[in-house]
Amino acid sequence: MEPELGCVRRTLRFYGTLFAGSGVAFLLAGGWVLWGMNLIGARLPGGAEVPLGPVTLWLGLTGSLMAVLVAATFFLARDPRQENIWFLVILSKFVSAGLFAAFAFATGNSGFLLAAATDGLIGLHYIYLRGIVRLYRHGTFEPYFPAASGPFYEVWFAKANDPKTRSAVWVRYVFERGVEGARASCWWILFDAPSGKVAHGKWEWDASELLSGPKSPFRLNVSRVEPGRLLGAGEGAFWDFAWTNAGAPAFSFVPPVLAGILPSGYAVPLSLGRFTGSATIDGTTLELKDAPGSIGHLWGPRMAQSWRWAHAVLDGKNGPSVLEILTARVMLGPCRSPEMTTAHFWHEGRHYQSVGLLAALTTASRREGETWTFRIDFGELSVEGECSPAAGLSVALPYQSPDGRALTCQNSKTGAMRLTLRRPGREAEILSTADQAAVEFAGPA
């Protein structure tokens, strides 16, 4: 088990014990506890004593809620992947903090602000702990949807570029539970460079037929995602690829400070893979041998509002480099976020990343027509880039978020990318590809 997840479990057990102890103290010595609270509260600036009233009345109501909170926290300590329980315990802390703050203003008693601050800080700590749980799996193939309830989607997708024919293949494995019920599907696209044509389609099944586990997150009849292998079979398409990790690390695109609250997540367990196998799509067969590619992983209760995404394997003087960048808007509660940009760069055996909240809000990223320009500051290294989808070799796909929103994603896997690398005391370095970059633009339909 990852050390971070073990720390989360220990912290949750501490909170559960703390809440249980507090509840027992109120039950056995409620009068003394309230007396002590009033003793402290009355000495705060603007504070005053709170009338005790009939302790038994409110204790009967709040005691049952405290018992639920204790049980929920220990359930999380046993299995921290339960998103619905995280939501409930975080909701309880922030509702409590909000009510205490309202009482402080309504009564003019600042003593309530101490209680509001305490529950608010615990709520924030719960969000932080949930973020750790969400992020620890970014380099694994463990799924989220078996433990999720309500509207939810989870996607595994892979793309590979054939250096010989300059063609590309993209496959997508999907679980969706939304306004139209739950379903599973497989999507596929062949970008056939020699013919200049794009063939695409998908198959759908009832989600009850989907099987999932920590090492094989998606198994639906023959189609499946497995460590080292991707399979797909149905009308119009068949593929069977073996893949290996070519040495680059996993990428996570969610700023850590936001991991506990964002409605969707994106990670790349395989940022630089080598794919060998074949795909036969609409009668055309593409043979791959050590073809560069990647595997991405998306999940959450709703899709982003819009995004721009690009991934490219670029040949340099000292071996292949990988650049992946994501610019997206999401909903934070009822509000739409500003555009946030995160990026990873694997270059000359070193992993550069720009995923902090400040960097996400300030990284330059702009689209003009079919051209996307960006500038990423990786500290000692800055990267200026430009990319665009391939004219004539792209396709617009309809997506639906679990909350019912319709989106359109312009999908291109044979696009162009050019990067200018700048470091103090060194000449600028150029990396580019004319036809092996993945470039996507997505937004409301």
Side-chain angles (χ1 to χ4, degrees), residues 302-386:
R302 56 188 176 188
M303 292 182 178
Q305 300 296 107
S306 61
W307 67 85
R308 298 189 292 275
W309 171 79
H311 178 287
V313 179
L314 305 141
D315 292 327
K317 298 178 182 178
N318 299 303
S321 298
V322 182
L323 187 284
E324 185 159 352
I325 181 171
L326 172 68
T327 297
R329 291 184 187 271
V330 299
M331 294 301 293
L332 297 174
C335 302
R336 190 177 71 161
S337 77
E339 283 196 339
M340 295 184 287
T341 301
T342 53
H344 291 263
F345 188 42
W346 173 253
H347 181 62
E348 297 181 342
R350 185 172 174 182
H351 181 198
Y352 299 89
Q353 51 186 326
S354 176
V355 294
L357 179 59
L358 180 60
L361 294 172
T362 58
T363 296
S365 173
R366 185 177 181 182
R367 176 187 175 187
E368 293 183 354
E370 295 296 285
T371 300
W372 176 13
T373 57
F374 48 84
R375 186 184 186 282
I376 314 161
D377 184 3
F378 292 114
E380 65 184 66
L381 170 70
S382 67
V383 176
E384 297 174 7
E386 178 179 297

Side-chain angles (χ1 to χ4, degrees), residues 68-240:
V68 172
L69 182 60
V70 169
T73 300
F74 278 113
F75 284 149
L76 279 179
R78 185 183 308 165
D79 182 3
R81 298 168 298 179
Q82 302 176 87
E83 283 285 332
N84 52 337
I85 298 184
W86 278 112
F87 173 78
L88 293 176
V89 295
I90 292 171
L91 177 67
S92 73
K93 289 290 101 181
F94 280 107
V95 168
S96 175
L99 289 174
F100 278 129
F103 295 156
F105 287 105
T107 63
N109 186 349
S110 65
F112 284 117
L113 293 178
L114 181 62
T118 299
D119 274 356
L121 289 173
I122 292 175
L124 290 173
H125 196 204
Y126 267 109
I127 289 176
Y128 172 74
L129 295 173
R130 181 171 66 173
I132 293 176
V133 174
R134 287 179 170 180
L135 287 179
Y136 97 93
R137 282 183 280 184
H138 80 271
T140 75
F141 279 80
E142 186 175 348
Y144 288 84
F145 63 80
S149 63
F152 197 80
Y153 80 105
E154 187 157 22
V155 173
W156 303 88
F157 71 89
K159 63 99 175 177
N161 292 81
D162 180 22
K164 293 183 178 180
T165 64
R166 318 308 286 182
S167 297
V169 63
W170 172 88
V171 295
R172 183 176 188 252
Y173 303 81
V174 184
F175 166 82
E176 298 172 282
R177 182 172 54 235
V179 294
E180 297 181 357
R183 60 178 184 250
S185 58
C186 288
W187 304 48
W188 40 265
I189 308 176
L190 175 63
F191 301 89
D192 188 4
S195 69
K197 295 180 180 179
V198 179
H200 65 95
K202 69 175 180 176
W203 318 301
E204 286 190 353
W205 298 269
D206 188 276
S208 62
E209 300 181 37
L210 178 63
L211 300 176
S212 181
K215 292 185 177 181
S216 182
F218 190 103
R219 287 176 290 162
L220 193 63
N221 302 321
V222 175
S223 303
R224 60 188 59 195
V225 176
E226 295 178 346
R229 194 176 186 190
L230 298 174
L231 282 165
E235 183 178 355
F238 171 84
W239 62 86
D240 186 352

